[in-house]
Amino acid sequence: MTLESSFKKVKERVYGALENTEMQTGINRGMDSFQSKIPRIRSKNDVQQLRSRVREIKSYSSRNLNELLNQVREAFQNNGVAVYLEKTKSDALSRFEKLTEGDRLIVKSKSLVSEEIGLRGFLTSKGKEVWETDLGEFIIQLRGERPSQMVAPSLHVPREAVARLFERKFGRRFQSDDLQSMVNAAREFLREKLERADVGITGANAISANEGTVVTVENEGNVRLTMTLPKKHIVCTSVEKVVPTTIDAVSVALTQSYFAGYDKPTYISLTSTPSGTGDIEKVIVRPAQGSKEMSVVLVDNGRLEASGGELSDALRCIKCGACQMVCPTYSVAGPAWGGPTYTSAIGLVWTAITGEPEESEYLSYFCLGCDACNEICPVEIDISRLISRLRAKGTGNIVSDLK
Amino acid sequence: MVSLLDRLDIFKSLVDYQHKFGNPLGLSPKELTSWSKGLHFDGGNGTFIFTGSLYQMAPWMSAYSSQIARLESGPLPSGALLKAARRMGSVGAGMISTIAGVDRQFSSRCSSIIKRASELLIQASIPHGYMGEAEPYSGVIFMELGMEEMFSSVANNAYSVFRDRGVKRLITLDPHSTVALREWYPEFVPGFDIQVDHYLEVVKPGRPDSSGTIKGATTERSYAIHDPCLLSRRLGLDEKLREGLQRAGIEYREPVRCRRGTFCCGGPIESVAPRVAGAIAEKRKKQLHDVGDRALVACPVCLANLGRDSVGEDLPVSDVLEVL
């Protein structure tokens, strides 16, 4: 009976979302905007070639994950970067507690893995002041919510709601059509935090195993500031982000950006070592202008166990979120159709892999099996089939009650 | 307090009725075969039309979903309505028809749709048989709901019927049964060797005039074309659908999401979450209405879900087999 109650809880949540017009306004504006960009993504030959190459890179990487992890750890150590492979959420959180010991102010850029392990809440509970520097993450931090989409975590929050939120936060009025004023307010507030922060935590779009280079792609400029202004830079990412070479890693990041709907990325950063200079007598001095220390926390949280299993194809996902942006169920249910971190489409599979298998099974019944996700996926993951495996497992659990 | 149906409430009735009636909604043999009344089939030398029962079940599924959606919208003063819903879910077509009120006109349209497919096959010089009351249900809904064991059992039984009837080739009418037979049967049914063609792959709509030119009636209405998901993305028949319409002189317009980028009607989850299915249908109807005053589909699931009057804009929906 417990299982059935949980299925009904998911259904109740999804039904409740059908009445949430504010959420639907945000999601639909975002989806319409994305839809207008699809023809451009499809018509560019170089993007299609890149997508094809990334498909091969990610296929190889997911098949050779353990070998690449050994390689990347060695590469990081050679670069003077501390690297930690953490099996569980609590292992990862303990690591962050140690790495930030004595630090007071922490700034973060967007990292789904950090959401997955509940990093911000954990660090806050340890008495630290933590601020999200990505605008979307900042918005959901202020609202006390979880991300609604992989690339645009506050997709469900329309401009009118952001104006009201910022009015409460900053104590002055914002016109909902004046987006620049809202962005300026966040910039002013966060810049002060960035300048004073002891630690900057970033994610990674991809990491090269051969050189231990972390590749990030962004448009706001906050990732670069987060990794360079504080003295301590910690990368919070997951094991499946490792690919063989730096060129491969850049290819993944570029593809992720294109399929997230951006014409071209504003910034791509490659970070291999803490900052330093050898300009005076060729003696390396750290830090120079950027961080003094760099650490990388590679979170497993179910991925290595999933590798080789029936959901392993999901490990090829580059988290561009395109599958979510074309999903009909997501268009009406929004983040209610999702787990604690990952929503809709491939997000259901990530929910299963990262520790919420039962929740993902309940969620799977709301998938239409329409293949819209498969059609857009740059690395051609058969997402519908993976979700059908979750559904089969869910039904398998109650099949004895059907006889 | 809103009461909602559990998975078991839904699944149990489907399984029970499959066991009792050979189809998951409990339709009678008469309801399944009435479309063929007065028609004669010559056997087709191993070629059979395969209805898969989906067009016949569409009016029942539509009525069932609408009723459940209403009940689940609550608020319910007591458990009485939920009990009614459970009863409806567990007693099948007879009670659905009594409680929810099946649209007999819709049912009659669905019969005509199947009949038209048979006529088009004859027109394309494809003689075919029909298994009548012996025609099995494909089992597709069980696979789509994750009941693989049940699907396997239904599929293997169906294959036995096909073999007994000497079936070499099945001509299907809907994308769901087509995908089931083409993709899942070979996986679940050892030795499955039957050729499966969707009717759009073989028919030649339109009538030749005295010069031999194919010409259909040009319609004054503007149809918004709705590509069924499986038809376009899985079977790749979006172009065939348009070719058929062009041959028949039917004018159509493309909505914002079309062909392989099409937007689902919501129908595949109408039994599990009819209110979600309805919300998706409402959205799709708006997209279709933006480009046409009528919509064209090529799937019974789309026909039922987009055609629900209770959902969204006033947009008449026709199946392509009603206009070809």
Side-chain angles (χ1 to χ4, degrees), chain B residues 108-126:
Chain B
S108 164
R109 279 176 61 202
C110 287
S111 290
S112 302
I113 286 168
I114 306 171
K115 198 170 176 180
R116 181 64 186 142
S118 178
E119 288 167 3
L120 284 171
L121 291 175
I122 299 294
Q123 194 179 307
S125 304
I126 302 172

Side-chain angles (χ1 to χ4, degrees), chain A residues 13-27:
Chain A
R13 193 171 75 214
V14 170
Y15 274 9
L18 301 180
E19 313 299 327
N20 186 344
T21 49
E22 181 178 278
M23 174 277 291
Q24 288 184 353
T25 300
I27 297 281

